[in-house]
Amino acid sequence: MATPSPGYSITLRASTPASFTVSTDIAATLAQAGAALTALDVIESTQNGLVIDVTCDTRNADHAEEIAKALGSMKDVDVAKVSDRTFLLHLGGKIESTPTVPLRTRDDLSRAYTPGVARVCQAIAKDKSDARRLTIKRNTVAVVTDGSAVLGLGNIGPEASMPVMEGKAVLFKEFAGVDAWPVALDTQDTEEIISICKAIAPAYGGINLEDISAPRCFEIEARLRDELDIPVFHDDQHGTAIVTLAALQNALKVVGKDIAEARIVVSGVGAAGHAIIQLLRTAGARHIVACGRNGAIAPGTSQTDSHKQWISENTNEEGFSGTLKEAVVGADVFIGVSAPNLLDGDDVARMAEGAIVFAMSNPDPEVHPQEAGRTAAVVATGRSDFPNQINNVLAFPGFFRGLLDAGATDITNEMLVAAAHAIADCIHEGELNPGYIIPSVFDREVAETVAAAVVEAAKVD
């Protein structure tokens, strides 16, 4: 059974008798119903009664309704309102635009706008590169999506994608000081998306492609990288690959294995899987078997798109054929970016001694971490409620900070590897253990370290 999560936190406003034991009675009732009580605040008090706000974490929306009914069933307790705290947080959106210059006097206005602004416009017209110095372009990223592959929700459209895109913008600003803005497009036509991104590029220092379904995302990213003079980063590919490599580097240190010798099985051959395999190979991995829905991808076979074709030509050198469950037998590493509940504890037990399991499907992983942890040496997931969360927020804010600081026009494999090394190195040798192979998403050192590594890699290029 799932544990209560802050993602399903609710606040219930209730009227109760003025009883000495009412608080403990409520706490006991909610605990019995499976909620995790986080706060109980008195809003109004009289000699005869109380109005209180009870805040608790629940398992899901249905469980939240059960909690409200449980509280309302208590004697003399009247539940007046139930508020979903996640929805409350999103009221009016999560970001805003604020000026960086004062506008207190006519002189201020004359410089920030007409007539003074005209001279700045003329300077940029003479030399377009001045836009990086004199406009928001130097620190602004477009977070572009068509809403076709949002989280695990699928093709939900541009409007429904906005809360995620706003969230990305918040993370950019909070962790790296980068100003990012959602650009949700009401089209899923590849050529139209490319055309729109090219048209808006003059205002931005970089483009972060987000939640665009495969295989269209591959062509969009490749074309934009070829046709634009600003870096284009596809977080589902590059961000996931960076943090996966960072975590794997440290996990391999924990178990005393070398990436060049490790047998690695990757479940999932979409955007994330393809990028992970590419970066692992760049970092020295030589023995990779990639599995799709129908099992292992055989070497040299004809595939449905160019990226799966690349996987066919660059993995599985021994020609293994079989299911995912068969592929993990004797494997040193399992990396899942696919679907929930594909493996069980017995499958993990058949892996090599000192096995590493990265079950990153969200919210439900390929194998439950507790089952995997019975025999695996290191287990990581994409979830925040288990140790070793492999989260892209460790990568993309600092990565773009570095790209913008370097004035980069493209992204190279050397930058990606440098970023992964930087994240891994934020955990020092004496700190490494099976439950701590990847830094916390709230470690402020990470973004700064990643940015510096990207700047250095850009100098080499």
Side-chain angles (χ1 to χ4, degrees), residues 154-190:
N155 188 355
I156 60 175
E159 292 87 357
S161 76
M162 280 292 289
V164 176
M165 303 310 122
E166 288 182 13
K168 297 287 288 199
V170 171
L171 296 173
F172 267 115
K173 187 67 173 181
E174 181 66 22
F175 291 106
V178 173
D179 297 313
W181 199 256
V183 181
L185 305 180
D186 192 14
T187 178
Q188 294 184 4
D189 180 82
T190 296

Side-chain angles (χ1 to χ4, degrees), residues 18-264:
S19 165
F20 177 75
T21 62
V22 67
S23 295
T24 53
D25 290 343
I26 288 174
T29 297
L30 296 186
Q32 187 174 7
L37 181 66
T38 58
L40 193 154
D41 301 300
V42 176
I43 304 302
E44 182 181 334
S45 176
T46 68
Q47 289 183 339
N48 297 319
L50 300 171
V51 176
I52 60 173
D53 277 352
V54 182
T55 301
C56 58
D57 294 343
T58 68
R59 293 191 293 269
N60 50 46
D62 291 338
H63 187 217
E65 291 184 11
E66 293 174 18
I67 298 303
K69 289 178 181 178
L71 183 61
S73 68
M74 294 179 65
K75 184 179 180 181
D76 297 326
V77 173
D78 179 32
V79 177
K81 185 177 182 181
V82 181
S83 299
D84 186 316
R85 297 180 69 216
T86 298
F87 275 81
L88 288 177
L89 181 144
H90 284 81
L91 287 177
K94 301 191 291 287
I95 58 176
E96 65 180 4
S97 174
T98 59
T100 61
V101 297
L103 286 178
R104 293 188 292 265
T105 67
R106 290 184 181 274
D107 285 353
D108 293 338
L109 185 60
S110 295
R111 287 191 293 270
Y113 198 52
T114 186
V117 73
R119 293 194 299 115
V120 182
C121 294
Q122 289 171 329
I124 296 172
K126 290 179 182 178
D127 184 357
K128 291 182 180 180
S129 66
D130 270 349
R132 284 185 181 268
R133 184 171 63 90
L134 298 171
T135 75
I136 60 170
K137 186 181 182 78
R138 70 183 297 172
N139 196 54
T140 305
V141 170
V143 183
V144 177
T145 189
D146 64 357
S148 61
V150 181
L151 302 178
L153 305 175
N155 188 355
I156 60 175
E159 292 87 357
S161 76
M162 280 292 289
V164 176
M165 303 310 122
E166 288 182 13
K168 297 287 288 199
V170 171
L171 296 173
F172 267 115
K173 187 67 173 181
E174 181 66 22
F175 291 106
V178 173
D179 297 313
W181 199 256
V183 181
L185 305 180
D186 192 14
T187 178
Q188 294 184 4
D189 180 82
T190 296
E191 291 299 327
E192 194 169 5
I193 292 172
I194 292 169
S195 177
I196 292 171
C197 288
K198 290 171 65 176
I200 66 172
Y204 297 96
I207 290 177
N208 182 93
L209 299 174
E210 188 77 20
D211 293 344
I212 298 174
S213 63
R216 294 178 308 114
C217 60
F218 298 118
E219 181 179 357
I220 292 168
E221 184 251 347
R223 288 270 303 279
L224 289 176
R225 286 182 63 173
D226 285 342
E227 299 176 27
L228 288 178
D229 62 352
I230 58 174
V232 178
F233 184 88
H234 185 205
D235 191 40
D236 297 327
Q237 294 182 68
H238 304 131
T240 305
I242 290 169
V243 292
T244 301
L245 176 58
L248 183 58
Q249 288 175 336
N250 280 341
L252 289 169
K253 289 179 183 177
V254 169
V255 300
K257 296 183 181 182
D258 184 82
I259 194 170
E261 303 303 323
R263 182 168 177 265
I264 301 170

Side-chain angles (χ1 to χ4, degrees), residues 358-369:
F358 290 176
M360 291 155 37
S361 174
N362 243 334
D364 299 314
E366 285 82 0
V367 56
H368 196 281

Side-chain angles (χ1 to χ4, degrees), residues 323-378:
T323 65
L324 173 64
K325 285 177 173 285
E326 293 168 335
V328 298
V329 176
D332 297 292
V333 179
F334 168 78
I335 297 173
V337 280
S338 48
N341 305 317
L342 298 180
L343 300 176
D344 57 31
D346 292 338
D347 297 315
V348 176
R350 297 187 188 98
M351 294 177 67
E353 185 177 352
I356 297 167
V357 174
F358 290 176
M360 291 155 37
S361 174
N362 243 334
D364 299 314
E366 285 82 0
V367 56
H368 196 281
Q370 290 178 333
E371 287 193 46
R374 291 203 303 266
T375 54
V378 179

